[in-house]
Amino acid sequence: MAASEVFVREAGSGPGVVCLHSNASSSSQWRGLMDSLSRRHRVLAPDAYGAGKSPGWPMDRPLTLADEAEFIEPVLQRAGSPLVLVGHSYGAAVALIAALRQPARVKALVLYEPTLFSLIEAESPQPNAADGIRHAVAAAAAALDRGDTNGAAEHFIDYWMGTGSWAATPESRQLPIATSVRNVRHWAQALFTEPTPLAAFRSLELPVLYMVGDRSTASAHGVARLLVPALPRVTPHRFDTLGHMGPVTDPEPVNRVIEDFLARL
């Protein structure tokens, strides 16, 4: 696909930093981080397939994380080498796959709860730590089949943010989220069936900041339990009061930790 089809926000100049957003979000979630980092870095934040202003997945076959990494390849090239990849949730999973594809061009990884549920599935059969998100996706998909996009968004958002979170979301934010959640089957397929084994991540000999919220879900914590020990040069950071959507709900403390990490590289 042509590079022009990837919508990307850009700010600043200097060493490249590419920020990858979570599901049901867009590049706009990184505006605060872009403002602060752009004083010393060239910061680029693309919209993933079906998010923000980027096109939807155009193929009949299932979407993979490798497809997501290929889609943002023009953005990574524009950022130059070596670059830093910042990712949240689904975006953090894409960042890991992109780093494995070309590790020599990645200076460091900044991850907030990557959602590589395939690692949980490979470790143990169901029931396991991924059951909560599996059930939420099934409920959201059933709602979509009934034509109930709001109901689908409620199942998905309330899983990640707690019961009642969707109802409390301002109406101005509900429409783009509900539109994005139509991709929930694509997201789940990519995350649950990713073929990369845990052992592959042991080859990432680069600095990794791995952030986790204590108030997050069993699925996110289950991935962290496996990934953190596998990454050779990892710096774990836990936020006592944050959940999975910390970079969106409480960007200031998350952004400060990211800035401090980058300053030490």
Short mmCIF file of all heavy atoms in Angstrom, two decimals, residues 200-250:
data_model
loop_
_atom_site.label_atom_id
_atom_site.label_comp_id
_atom_site.label_asym_id
_atom_site.label_seq_id
_atom_site.Cartn_x
_atom_site.Cartn_y
_atom_site.Cartn_z
N ALA A 200 11.63 -15.99 21.10
CA ALA A 200 12.12 -15.03 20.11
C ALA A 200 12.44 -13.68 20.73
O ALA A 200 13.36 -12.98 20.30
CB ALA A 200 11.09 -14.86 19.00
N PHE A 201 11.70 -13.30 21.77
CA PHE A 201 11.90 -11.99 22.38
C PHE A 201 13.19 -11.93 23.20
O PHE A 201 13.65 -10.84 23.54
CB PHE A 201 10.68 -11.62 23.21
CG PHE A 201 9.43 -11.52 22.39
CD1 PHE A 201 8.45 -12.51 22.43
CD2 PHE A 201 9.23 -10.44 21.53
CE1 PHE A 201 7.31 -12.43 21.66
CE2 PHE A 201 8.09 -10.35 20.75
CZ PHE A 201 7.13 -11.35 20.81
N ARG A 202 13.77 -13.07 23.49
CA ARG A 202 15.05 -13.08 24.20
C ARG A 202 16.19 -12.57 23.33
O ARG A 202 17.28 -12.27 23.84
CB ARG A 202 15.35 -14.49 24.72
CG ARG A 202 14.32 -15.01 25.71
CD ARG A 202 14.76 -16.30 26.41
NE ARG A 202 13.76 -16.70 27.40
CZ ARG A 202 12.87 -17.67 27.23
NH1 ARG A 202 12.89 -18.39 26.11
NH2 ARG A 202 11.98 -17.97 28.16
N SER A 203 15.94 -12.45 22.04
CA SER A 203 16.97 -11.95 21.13
C SER A 203 17.01 -10.43 21.06
O SER A 203 17.91 -9.86 20.42
CB SER A 203 16.73 -12.51 19.72
OG SER A 203 15.56 -11.94 19.14
N LEU A 204 16.06 -9.77 21.70
CA LEU A 204 15.99 -8.30 21.63
C LEU A 204 16.98 -7.69 22.63
O LEU A 204 16.63 -7.33 23.74
CB LEU A 204 14.57 -7.81 21.91
CG LEU A 204 13.56 -8.07 20.79
CD1 LEU A 204 12.16 -7.65 21.24
CD2 LEU A 204 13.94 -7.31 19.51
N GLU A 205 18.22 -7.57 22.20
CA GLU A 205 19.28 -7.03 23.05
C GLU A 205 19.30 -5.52 22.97
O GLU A 205 20.25 -4.91 22.46
CB GLU A 205 20.63 -7.61 22.63
CG GLU A 205 20.79 -9.09 22.90
CD GLU A 205 21.10 -9.38 24.37
OE1 GLU A 205 21.35 -8.42 25.12
OE2 GLU A 205 21.08 -10.57 24.74
N LEU A 206 18.26 -4.90 23.46
CA LEU A 206 18.15 -3.45 23.47
C LEU A 206 17.38 -3.03 24.71
O LEU A 206 16.65 -3.82 25.29
CB LEU A 206 17.45 -2.96 22.19
CG LEU A 206 16.14 -3.63 21.76
CD1 LEU A 206 14.94 -3.03 22.46
CD2 LEU A 206 15.96 -3.51 20.26
N PRO A 207 17.55 -1.78 25.15
CA PRO A 207 16.85 -1.32 26.35
C PRO A 207 15.33 -1.32 26.13
O PRO A 207 14.84 -0.86 25.10
CB PRO A 207 17.37 0.11 26.55
CG PRO A 207 18.64 0.18 25.77
CD PRO A 207 18.47 -0.74 24.62
N VAL A 208 14.62 -1.85 27.11
CA VAL A 208 13.16 -1.91 27.06
C VAL A 208 12.59 -1.38 28.37
O VAL A 208 12.93 -1.87 29.44
CB VAL A 208 12.64 -3.34 26.83
CG1 VAL A 208 11.10 -3.35 26.81
CG2 VAL A 208 13.21 -3.94 25.55
N LEU A 209 11.74 -0.37 28.27
CA LEU A 209 10.95 0.09 29.41
C LEU A 209 9.60 -0.61 29.32
O LEU A 209 8.88 -0.45 28.33
CB LEU A 209 10.76 1.60 29.37
CG LEU A 209 9.78 2.20 30.39
CD1 LEU A 209 10.25 1.97 31.82
CD2 LEU A 209 9.56 3.69 30.12
N TYR A 210 9.26 -1.41 30.33
CA TYR A 210 8.01 -2.17 30.33
C TYR A 210 7.15 -1.67 31.49
O TYR A 210 7.43 -1.94 32.65
CB TYR A 210 8.30 -3.66 30.48
CG TYR A 210 7.16 -4.58 30.12
CD1 TYR A 210 7.29 -5.50 29.10
CD2 TYR A 210 5.95 -4.54 30.80
CE1 TYR A 210 6.26 -6.36 28.75
CE2 TYR A 210 4.90 -5.39 30.47
CZ TYR A 210 5.07 -6.30 29.44
OH TYR A 210 4.03 -7.14 29.10
N MET A 211 6.08 -0.95 31.16
CA MET A 211 5.20 -0.34 32.16
C MET A 211 3.94 -1.16 32.34
O MET A 211 3.36 -1.67 31.38
CB MET A 211 4.85 1.09 31.75
CG MET A 211 6.04 2.03 31.71
SD MET A 211 5.61 3.67 31.03
CE MET A 211 5.54 3.28 29.28
N VAL A 212 3.51 -1.27 33.60
CA VAL A 212 2.32 -2.02 33.97
C VAL A 212 1.54 -1.22 35.00
O VAL A 212 2.13 -0.60 35.89
CB VAL A 212 2.69 -3.40 34.55
CG1 VAL A 212 1.44 -4.14 35.05
CG2 VAL A 212 3.43 -4.24 33.53
N GLY A 213 0.21 -1.26 34.89
CA GLY A 213 -0.65 -0.66 35.90
C GLY A 213 -1.14 -1.70 36.87
O GLY A 213 -1.66 -2.74 36.46
N ASP A 214 -0.98 -1.46 38.16
CA ASP A 214 -1.43 -2.43 39.17
C ASP A 214 -2.92 -2.71 39.08
O ASP A 214 -3.38 -3.80 39.45
CB ASP A 214 -1.09 -1.93 40.58
CG ASP A 214 0.32 -2.30 41.01
OD1 ASP A 214 0.97 -3.08 40.28
OD2 ASP A 214 0.76 -1.82 42.07
N ARG A 215 -3.69 -1.75 38.60
CA ARG A 215 -5.14 -1.91 38.53
C ARG A 215 -5.61 -2.44 37.18
O ARG A 215 -6.78 -2.33 36.83
CB ARG A 215 -5.82 -0.57 38.85
CG ARG A 215 -5.55 -0.09 40.26
CD ARG A 215 -6.33 1.17 40.59
NE ARG A 215 -6.07 1.61 41.96
CZ ARG A 215 -6.63 2.68 42.52
NH1 ARG A 215 -7.47 3.42 41.82
NH2 ARG A 215 -6.34 3.02 43.76
N SER A 216 -4.69 -3.00 36.42
CA SER A 216 -5.04 -3.52 35.11
C SER A 216 -5.64 -4.92 35.22
O SER A 216 -5.93 -5.42 36.31
CB SER A 216 -3.80 -3.54 34.21
OG SER A 216 -4.16 -3.78 32.88
N THR A 217 -5.83 -5.56 34.08
CA THR A 217 -6.54 -6.83 34.00
C THR A 217 -5.61 -8.02 34.15
O THR A 217 -4.39 -7.92 33.96
CB THR A 217 -7.25 -6.93 32.64
OG1 THR A 217 -6.25 -6.94 31.62
CG2 THR A 217 -8.20 -5.76 32.44
N ALA A 218 -6.22 -9.18 34.40
CA ALA A 218 -5.44 -10.42 34.50
C ALA A 218 -4.75 -10.74 33.19
O ALA A 218 -3.63 -11.28 33.19
CB ALA A 218 -6.36 -11.57 34.91
N SER A 219 -5.37 -10.40 32.08
CA SER A 219 -4.75 -10.71 30.78
C SER A 219 -3.48 -9.89 30.56
O SER A 219 -2.45 -10.42 30.11
CB SER A 219 -5.74 -10.47 29.65
OG SER A 219 -6.15 -9.12 29.58
N ALA A 220 -3.53 -8.60 30.87
CA ALA A 220 -2.34 -7.76 30.71
C ALA A 220 -1.23 -8.19 31.67
O ALA A 220 -0.05 -8.23 31.30
CB ALA A 220 -2.70 -6.30 30.93
N HIS A 221 -1.60 -8.51 32.91
CA HIS A 221 -0.61 -8.96 33.88
C HIS A 221 -0.05 -10.33 33.49
O HIS A 221 1.13 -10.62 33.73
CB HIS A 221 -1.23 -9.03 35.27
CG HIS A 221 -1.49 -7.68 35.86
ND1 HIS A 221 -2.28 -7.49 36.98
CD2 HIS A 221 -1.07 -6.43 35.50
CE1 HIS A 221 -2.33 -6.20 37.28
NE2 HIS A 221 -1.60 -5.54 36.39
N GLY A 222 -0.88 -11.16 32.87
CA GLY A 222 -0.40 -12.47 32.44
C GLY A 222 0.65 -12.37 31.36
O GLY A 222 1.64 -13.12 31.38
N VAL A 223 0.47 -11.46 30.42
CA VAL A 223 1.50 -11.24 29.40
C VAL A 223 2.77 -10.70 30.03
O VAL A 223 3.88 -11.16 29.70
CB VAL A 223 0.98 -10.28 28.31
CG1 VAL A 223 2.09 -9.96 27.31
CG2 VAL A 223 -0.22 -10.87 27.58
N ALA A 224 2.65 -9.76 30.95
CA ALA A 224 3.83 -9.19 31.61
C ALA A 224 4.61 -10.26 32.37
O ALA A 224 5.85 -10.26 32.37
CB ALA A 224 3.41 -8.07 32.55
N ARG A 225 3.91 -11.16 33.03
CA ARG A 225 4.57 -12.22 33.79
C ARG A 225 5.49 -13.06 32.90
O ARG A 225 6.56 -13.51 33.33
CB ARG A 225 3.52 -13.11 34.44
CG ARG A 225 4.09 -14.29 35.22
CD ARG A 225 3.00 -15.12 35.87
NE ARG A 225 2.06 -15.64 34.89
CZ ARG A 225 2.28 -16.73 34.15
NH1 ARG A 225 3.43 -17.39 34.26
NH2 ARG A 225 1.37 -17.16 33.29
N LEU A 226 5.11 -13.21 31.64
CA LEU A 226 5.91 -14.00 30.71
C LEU A 226 6.97 -13.17 30.00
O LEU A 226 8.12 -13.59 29.85
CB LEU A 226 4.99 -14.65 29.67
CG LEU A 226 3.97 -15.64 30.22
CD1 LEU A 226 2.95 -16.00 29.15
CD2 LEU A 226 4.65 -16.89 30.74
N LEU A 227 6.59 -11.98 29.55
CA LEU A 227 7.48 -11.18 28.72
C LEU A 227 8.62 -10.51 29.49
O LEU A 227 9.75 -10.45 29.01
CB LEU A 227 6.68 -10.11 27.98
CG LEU A 227 6.37 -10.33 26.50
CD1 LEU A 227 5.60 -9.14 25.95
CD2 LEU A 227 7.65 -10.55 25.69
N VAL A 228 8.32 -9.97 30.66
CA VAL A 228 9.34 -9.22 31.38
C VAL A 228 10.59 -10.06 31.63
O VAL A 228 11.71 -9.61 31.36
CB VAL A 228 8.77 -8.62 32.69
CG1 VAL A 228 9.89 -8.07 33.57
CG2 VAL A 228 7.77 -7.51 32.37
N PRO A 229 10.48 -11.31 32.12
CA PRO A 229 11.70 -12.10 32.33
C PRO A 229 12.40 -12.49 31.03
O PRO A 229 13.60 -12.81 31.04
CB PRO A 229 11.19 -13.35 33.06
CG PRO A 229 9.86 -12.99 33.59
CD PRO A 229 9.28 -12.00 32.63
N ALA A 230 11.67 -12.47 29.91
CA ALA A 230 12.26 -12.89 28.64
C ALA A 230 13.08 -11.80 27.97
O ALA A 230 13.95 -12.09 27.14
CB ALA A 230 11.15 -13.35 27.68
N LEU A 231 12.81 -10.54 28.29
CA LEU A 231 13.51 -9.43 27.65
C LEU A 231 14.85 -9.18 28.35
O LEU A 231 14.88 -8.89 29.55
CB LEU A 231 12.63 -8.18 27.68
CG LEU A 231 11.34 -8.29 26.87
CD1 LEU A 231 10.35 -7.18 27.24
CD2 LEU A 231 11.64 -8.26 25.37
N PRO A 232 15.96 -9.30 27.63
CA PRO A 232 17.29 -9.28 28.28
C PRO A 232 17.64 -7.98 28.99
O PRO A 232 18.34 -8.00 30.00
CB PRO A 232 18.26 -9.54 27.12
CG PRO A 232 17.44 -10.16 26.05
CD PRO A 232 16.06 -9.59 26.20
N ARG A 233 17.17 -6.83 28.47
CA ARG A 233 17.60 -5.55 29.05
C ARG A 233 16.37 -4.72 29.45
O ARG A 233 16.25 -3.55 29.12
CB ARG A 233 18.46 -4.79 28.03
CG ARG A 233 19.75 -5.51 27.66
CD ARG A 233 20.54 -4.75 26.61
NE ARG A 233 20.91 -3.42 27.06
CZ ARG A 233 21.45 -2.48 26.26
NH1 ARG A 233 21.62 -2.73 24.97
NH2 ARG A 233 21.76 -1.29 26.75
N VAL A 234 15.49 -5.34 30.19
CA VAL A 234 14.23 -4.71 30.53
C VAL A 234 14.30 -3.90 31.82
O VAL A 234 15.00 -4.29 32.77
CB VAL A 234 13.11 -5.77 30.64
CG1 VAL A 234 13.33 -6.68 31.83
CG2 VAL A 234 11.72 -5.13 30.70
N THR A 235 13.63 -2.78 31.83
CA THR A 235 13.42 -1.97 33.03
C THR A 235 11.94 -1.96 33.33
O THR A 235 11.16 -1.27 32.65
CB THR A 235 13.92 -0.52 32.82
OG1 THR A 235 15.30 -0.52 32.51
CG2 THR A 235 13.67 0.31 34.09
N PRO A 236 11.47 -2.74 34.31
CA PRO A 236 10.04 -2.73 34.62
C PRO A 236 9.66 -1.49 35.42
O PRO A 236 10.45 -0.97 36.20
CB PRO A 236 9.86 -3.99 35.49
CG PRO A 236 11.16 -4.73 35.42
CD PRO A 236 12.21 -3.72 35.10
N HIS A 237 8.43 -1.02 35.21
CA HIS A 237 7.92 0.10 36.00
C HIS A 237 6.45 -0.14 36.26
O HIS A 237 5.67 -0.37 35.33
CB HIS A 237 8.10 1.43 35.27
CG HIS A 237 7.71 2.61 36.12
ND1 HIS A 237 8.62 3.32 36.87
CD2 HIS A 237 6.49 3.18 36.35
CE1 HIS A 237 7.99 4.28 37.52
NE2 HIS A 237 6.70 4.22 37.22
N ARG A 238 6.05 -0.11 37.52
CA ARG A 238 4.65 -0.32 37.90
C ARG A 238 4.05 0.97 38.42
O ARG A 238 4.67 1.71 39.19
CB ARG A 238 4.54 -1.41 38.98
CG ARG A 238 5.04 -2.77 38.53
CD ARG A 238 4.78 -3.83 39.57
NE ARG A 238 3.37 -4.20 39.66
CZ ARG A 238 2.81 -5.16 38.94
NH1 ARG A 238 3.53 -5.85 38.07
NH2 ARG A 238 1.53 -5.45 39.07
N PHE A 239 2.82 1.23 37.99
CA PHE A 239 2.05 2.38 38.46
C PHE A 239 0.99 1.86 39.42
O PHE A 239 0.07 1.13 39.01
CB PHE A 239 1.38 3.10 37.29
CG PHE A 239 2.33 3.76 36.34
CD1 PHE A 239 2.77 3.10 35.20
CD2 PHE A 239 2.79 5.05 36.57
CE1 PHE A 239 3.64 3.71 34.31
CE2 PHE A 239 3.66 5.67 35.70
CZ PHE A 239 4.09 5.00 34.55
N ASP A 240 1.09 2.25 40.69
CA ASP A 240 0.19 1.71 41.71
C ASP A 240 -1.28 2.03 41.44
O ASP A 240 -2.16 1.24 41.78
CB ASP A 240 0.57 2.25 43.10
CG ASP A 240 1.92 1.76 43.55
OD1 ASP A 240 2.41 0.76 42.99
OD2 ASP A 240 2.50 2.37 44.48
N THR A 241 -1.56 3.19 40.88
CA THR A 241 -2.95 3.66 40.79
C THR A 241 -3.53 3.60 39.38
O THR A 241 -4.66 4.03 39.17
CB THR A 241 -3.05 5.11 41.29
OG1 THR A 241 -2.25 5.95 40.46
CG2 THR A 241 -2.58 5.21 42.74
N LEU A 242 -2.78 3.07 38.41
CA LEU A 242 -3.26 3.10 37.02
C LEU A 242 -3.73 1.73 36.56
O LEU A 242 -3.31 0.69 37.08
CB LEU A 242 -2.15 3.59 36.09
CG LEU A 242 -1.61 5.00 36.34
CD1 LEU A 242 -0.69 5.42 35.20
CD2 LEU A 242 -2.73 6.00 36.53
N GLY A 243 -4.59 1.75 35.54
CA GLY A 243 -5.04 0.54 34.89
C GLY A 243 -4.47 0.43 33.50
O GLY A 243 -3.52 1.13 33.14
N HIS A 244 -5.09 -0.42 32.68
CA HIS A 244 -4.56 -0.69 31.35
C HIS A 244 -4.56 0.55 30.47
O HIS A 244 -3.68 0.71 29.61
CB HIS A 244 -5.38 -1.79 30.68
CG HIS A 244 -4.89 -2.17 29.32
ND1 HIS A 244 -3.70 -2.83 29.12
CD2 HIS A 244 -5.42 -1.96 28.08
CE1 HIS A 244 -3.52 -3.02 27.83
NE2 HIS A 244 -4.54 -2.49 27.17
N MET A 245 -5.51 1.43 30.65
CA MET A 245 -5.61 2.61 29.80
C MET A 245 -4.88 3.82 30.39
O MET A 245 -5.17 4.96 30.04
CB MET A 245 -7.07 2.94 29.53
CG MET A 245 -7.80 1.86 28.74
SD MET A 245 -6.98 1.43 27.18
CE MET A 245 -7.22 2.95 26.26
N GLY A 246 -3.91 3.57 31.25
CA GLY A 246 -3.15 4.65 31.88
C GLY A 246 -2.62 5.71 30.94
O GLY A 246 -2.73 6.92 31.23
N PRO A 247 -2.05 5.34 29.78
CA PRO A 247 -1.54 6.38 28.88
C PRO A 247 -2.62 7.32 28.35
O PRO A 247 -2.32 8.42 27.90
CB PRO A 247 -0.91 5.57 27.74
CG PRO A 247 -0.53 4.27 28.38
CD PRO A 247 -1.64 4.00 29.36
N VAL A 248 -3.89 6.87 28.40
CA VAL A 248 -5.00 7.70 27.93
C VAL A 248 -5.65 8.44 29.09
O VAL A 248 -5.92 9.64 29.01
CB VAL A 248 -6.04 6.84 27.19
CG1 VAL A 248 -7.26 7.67 26.80
CG2 VAL A 248 -5.41 6.20 25.96
N THR A 249 -5.91 7.73 30.20
CA THR A 249 -6.63 8.35 31.32
C THR A 249 -5.74 9.23 32.18
O THR A 249 -6.20 10.20 32.76
CB THR A 249 -7.25 7.26 32.21
OG1 THR A 249 -6.21 6.42 32.73
CG2 THR A 249 -8.24 6.41 31.42
N ASP A 250 -4.45 8.87 32.29
CA ASP A 250 -3.50 9.60 33.14
C ASP A 250 -2.17 9.76 32.42
O ASP A 250 -1.15 9.20 32.84
CB ASP A 250 -3.30 8.85 34.46
CG ASP A 250 -4.57 8.72 35.27
OD1 ASP A 250 -4.84 9.62 36.08
OD2 ASP A 250 -5.29 7.72 35.10
#
